[in-house]
Amino acid sequence: MTDFMDGGVEAAAGLAVYGAEAVDRSAPASTRAELVADEVPALLARKDPTLWGPEAEAEAKVRLGWVDTHRRSRELLPQLAELKAELGDLDHVVLAGMGGSSLAPEVIARTLGRPLTVLDTTDPGQVRAALADRLERTVVVVASKSGSTVETDSHRRAYWQAFLDAGLSEAEAGRHFVIVTDPGSPLEATAQEMGAFLVHADPEVGGRYSALTAFGLVPSALAGVEVSYLLDEADALSESLGRDRDNPALALGAALGTAATAGRDKVALISDGTGIDGLGDWAEQLIAESTGKGGVGILPVVVESPDSPGATGDDVLTVTYGGSQAPNAVPGGGVRPNLAVNGPLGAHFLAWEYATAIAGRVLGIDPFNQPNVTESKENTARLLEAGLPTEKPAFTEGAVEVYASGAVPDNLAGALRWLIDGVIDEGYIAVMAYLDRFADADTAELRPLLAAASRRPVTFGWGPRFLHSTGQYHKGGPQVGSFLQITGAVAEDLPVPGRPYTFGQLQAAQAAGDRQALAGRERPLLRLHLTDRVTGVAELVAAVRGLAG
């Protein structure tokens, strides 16, 4: 036990959770004891759909496959080996997928040091750059559970046209695609029409719980990961899931639920530098989309490093994660975490999924639905058909046009101060950047700067990627958010083949559709449109840095 946490350690199969006992003791009554008294661990291990109440039972009946999908996923291993051999020298793997279809394989590839291009954007510049990269050696994994995800369909169309423009026949182009989808989805028929390779996913696992299904394993295996080890790690942990003691996933879930119901409903997720790279981004979607509904929820805040602003706070549960079974004592010389979760990656996936389902039980919500996700999608579809609304900026400063939901000062620093000052005591700021996450990467500097200036939790998401993650929490969770949306001029647009719109128009419609959804909830919203992206990002970062002191 390390000396920076008072709260014991619970471990199984190489995964350890530190500090959970202290969090449980902080509540008037033990959440863990109540869960055990109600036999929740054993019932969840048996996939009992009644654990979240009668309203959630129908959904839970078809969404609990994640509990043991790691066992069924072994059936994929021979198919993956054959597929990799069939693809031959197509060694540049591009994953076109959103949310649960892309976040887990990105973590797997980053953690295990394998190259994987993840395309989860509608930014025309980012899509164009991907299309130009080693096309002749590219295999595109098109991953969508529903088979109707607009971003993924647009990526598929763009790559199909690129292969044809490069001189490939339709039959040749089809062999550059691997389709991962549920049986019977529209994308299954599309795969057959294209002559693409087809891999079915587990239909009883929801997208954000699908790390150890075909969605996580297919792109990872094609990128060179030995995915059987992930299944081994999860399988080893699964033996503890029904136990009342020595069950680290239960300890984690009980702690998350206890903290949220006691006022610490934001969770800072921080890597401790011991070998797991990017898990926070995956857990962010899992937690936010599972719990943020009905006016309650847990807000995950991915923090860059242990000493970054926003890692702690009166309403923040600080959690570090890593690969070593023993966490760093005080990682980076900074934060003293409330919880630390350490162990192998496959076990992490299963433990966080189980813990999120447990937290949903404690919060009294259905952790498997996402009732508010479709709102922005429907707004986007309507705007693409009817056209974008005409909006006039409140003012322009340099390369930044300023639009606001209220009266703001006529200077950029003042407008940002208006947003910061409007954050209530239990509130947060969400930065939503509809930009190129590589070419415009400096935009991410805004998160720690705004956290320092506001002394409140600040999340950062690239649009439309975050719509499949924290977007549900923004609309369904506690209505205490203040929102900064950043959009940018498109220097060179890119058509979506076979559709009456371009990537730039789709991106703009997604941003406008989400603005409409937030405006309907009367939350503070500041939109900054960059007429020149490079200059605008620099001006914006400088303005926020000035406020942060």
Side-chain angles (χ1 to χ4, degrees), residues 146-180:
S146 69
S148 59
T149 309
V150 64
E151 299 95 337
T152 304
D153 178 66
S154 300
H155 301 147
R156 179 189 65 80
R157 291 171 177 273
Y159 266 100
W160 179 259
Q161 189 61 52
F163 287 126
L164 297 183
D165 290 346
L168 273 65
S169 68
E170 290 191 353
E172 291 168 334
R175 309 309 282 176
H176 283 256
F177 287 87
V178 177
I179 307 295
V180 182

Side-chain angles (χ1 to χ4, degrees), residues 390-410:
T390 301
E391 299 172 273
K392 184 178 179 181
F395 65 90
T396 300
E397 180 175 313
V400 183
E401 294 177 349
V402 178
Y403 304 77
S405 60
V408 296
D410 61 356

Side-chain angles (χ1 to χ4, degrees), residues 11 40 48 173 397 428 430 498 535:
V40 171
D48 188 317
E397 180 175 313
Y428 67 93
T535 303

Side-chain angles (χ1 to χ4, degrees), residues 122-139:
T122 49
D123 185 85
Q126 190 174 333
V127 175
R128 187 185 299 278
L131 290 168
D133 185 15
R134 292 168 285 170
L135 186 67
E136 73 284 355
R137 302 183 66 87
T138 293
V139 56

